[in-house]
Amino acid sequence: MTPVSSHSPHGQSSLRTVQVLGGGNAGSSAHVRSLASGLVARGVRVTVCAPVEADRVYDFTGAGADHVHVPRSSDPASVAALRAACADADLVHAHGLHASFRAVLALSGRRTPLVVTWHDRAQAEGARAHLVRLLERRVVKAASVVLGTSSALVDRARRTGARDARLAAVALPAPRRTVERDDPDRLRPKVRAELGATGRPLLIAVGSLERHRGYDVLLDASRAWRRLDPVPLVVIAGEGELRAGLQRRIEDEGLPVRLIGSRDDVSELLAAADLALLPSSWESRSVLAQEALHTRVPLVATDVGGMPELVGDAAELVPYGDPEALADAVVRLLGDPERREFLKERGVRQAATWPTEDETVAQVLSVYDELTQPQPMI
């Protein structure tokens, strides 16, 4: 375990960090909760600056951290609130592009070390893509260290101008256990019945209904599955701007797909599934992919971003934007129980190579100590 430095730039007896979170996707929010808990256990004082909704869901205060409500906005009032929260911090750690940009604004004129974690690549098109590149450049040049959750993100940070970019693959936090979750044989039939998947294969996809998720490709692929007997049911858990258009296509084309909106029981949905699907145009360290492998659910995903590095040979990888390749991979797996069993076993072994929550906290803390230890006089 990495020791906490007893020194700090402000002469405090213990390190004080501020974790900055924006709207926060599931992966980064769960990571900040896990990180806060691990840091507090090591004697670090932690303040989490995030929207109040995020604290309700992830309970940062329950992890022993202080919580300061900072809206997901870069307006002057939000930046001022963040600046006040960071006033006596030894180090600030921001998660995601927008949170990092607000942290840069809040720390302007101060010498407080800034650590930035990129959990994923910001998705944008057209003029907004240009703005995202400008924000990335501003953030990485101001950051003392940029941590990327995949090699692809580390390379991107270096190309953008980061002076110090490192790989820091974050752990998937352990789910909170329940009696039913500990008894999947009891829960599985119940979930499948509720979804309408009794007596037919259940395919699960999870994620916001946005263009980069590739759900248009998934719907294209689902046409081919109507020829199977029984016809698989595709269930997509998530909400977003494309919902109306996707629902219209499902109804007009008679596709075997259900949109069930945002859910807080994704682990249970996944445990009930025969296959997990991830058709995105980009992924770094996908929470769904990690949960699928941990849960022994065969995964079909696109060969993009950090996916090959994350899953190795423990999943079926297909090219992005190719509905025929996606459809064929699913048909092959549904008809090959031996291959499904192989992927389940490989998934468990692959998951065992990922860092634990304790190892993740120790690595981050070593970066903090490096940046806050007093420099020797020369």
Side-chain angles (χ1 to χ4, degrees):
M1 183 183 298
T2 305
V4 178
S5 170
S6 60
H7 304 284
S8 81
H10 306 290
Q12 297 171 333
S13 60
S14 64
L15 195 65
R16 178 173 181 244
T17 72
V18 173
Q19 307 289 323
V20 186
L21 192 63
N25 61 34
S28 58
S29 299
H31 170 60
V32 169
R33 208 280 182 188
S34 171
L35 189 57
S37 179
L39 290 173
V40 168
R42 289 162 171 79
V44 178
R45 289 184 293 161
V46 178
T47 298
V48 177
C49 293
V52 68
E53 301 80 18
D55 187 50
R56 284 198 204 104
V57 174
Y58 293 96
D59 192 22
F60 305 119
T61 49
D66 293 323
H67 171 252
V68 174
H69 170 61
V70 177
R72 190 182 188 278
S73 167
S74 296
D75 63 39
S78 296
V79 173
L82 183 55
R83 186 174 177 83
C86 295
D88 61 345
D90 297 313
L91 179 142
V92 174
H93 188 167
H95 301 263
L97 179 60
H98 297 289
S100 301
F101 180 64
R102 286 196 296 282
V104 170
L105 296 178
L107 294 176
S108 177
R110 295 179 179 171
R111 300 183 65 182
T112 310
L114 173 63
V115 176
V116 167
T117 294
W118 280 3
H119 294 267
D120 209 341
R121 191 178 75 182
Q123 303 292 333
E125 299 174 358
R128 181 167 164 74
H130 178 65
L131 174 61
V132 164
R133 286 193 295 273
L134 291 176
L135 292 182
E136 286 179 339
R137 204 168 298 133
R138 175 82 180 271
V139 165
V140 300
K141 288 185 176 179
S144 306
V145 174
V146 178
L147 303 176
T149 60
S150 69
S151 297
L153 287 174
V154 173
D155 291 343
R156 183 179 180 87
R158 287 172 179 157
R159 289 196 306 270
T160 307
R163 49 189 154 159
D164 188 342
R166 312 177 193 181
L167 180 65
V170 303
L172 177 69
R176 293 171 186 160
R177 309 304 295 177
T178 66
V179 173
E180 282 198 322
R181 192 179 291 165
D182 286 330
D183 186 6
D185 291 336
R186 176 179 157 195
L187 182 62
R188 181 181 169 92
K190 177 183 172 185
V191 172
R192 292 175 72 93
E194 288 173 353
L195 295 174
T198 301
R200 62 195 294 200
L202 175 61
L203 318 181
I204 292 285
V206 179
S208 56
L209 305 184
E210 298 174 1
R211 198 163 305 281
H212 73 275
R213 296 289 184 185
Y215 291 136
D216 54 339
V217 179
L218 178 55
L219 264 55
D220 289 343
S222 73
R223 292 176 186 151
W225 304 330
R226 292 179 299 189
R227 299 193 296 267
L228 300 178
D229 184 19
V231 178
L233 174 65
V234 181
V235 170
I236 302 175
E239 200 54 81
E241 59 188 15
L242 298 184
R243 179 171 185 133
L246 293 172
Q247 187 62 51
R248 201 157 42 241
R249 275 197 62 188
I250 291 167
E251 294 170 2
D252 291 348
E253 300 174 34
L255 302 176
V257 180
R258 279 193 64 192
L259 306 180
I260 61 171
S262 296
R263 299 283 290 245
D264 58 6
D265 60 345
V266 168
S267 295
E268 287 84 352
L269 295 175
L270 195 55
D274 295 288
L275 299 178
L277 307 179
L278 195 61
S280 313
S281 64
W282 169 268
E283 290 287 347
S284 178
R285 199 167 181 86
S286 162
V287 172
L288 177 66
Q290 293 178 78
E291 287 192 341
L293 270 58
H294 271 297
T295 315
R296 292 174 51 85
V297 178
L299 172 70
V300 180
T302 41
D303 188 0
V304 296
M307 284 302 300
E309 180 180 32
L310 179 65
V311 303
D313 63 354
E316 295 283 358
L317 297 181
V318 299
Y320 168 70
D322 188 337
E324 289 185 5
L326 176 57
D328 290 347
V330 167
V331 170
R332 283 197 309 272
L333 273 181
L334 290 178
D336 189 347
E338 289 186 4
R339 176 66 179 168
R340 294 200 304 273
E341 196 59 35
F342 170 81
L343 289 178
K344 291 177 184 180
E345 296 303 323
R346 285 298 306 167
V348 171
R349 288 206 289 272
Q350 181 71 11
T353 70
W354 298 335
T356 64
E357 288 185 84
D358 195 61
E359 289 166 343
T360 297
V361 173
Q363 182 188 13
V364 169
L365 192 50
S366 71
V367 174
Y368 291 0
D369 276 345
E370 180 184 328
L371 294 174
T372 57
Q373 290 277 12
Q375 297 302 308
M377 299 293 291
I378 299 177

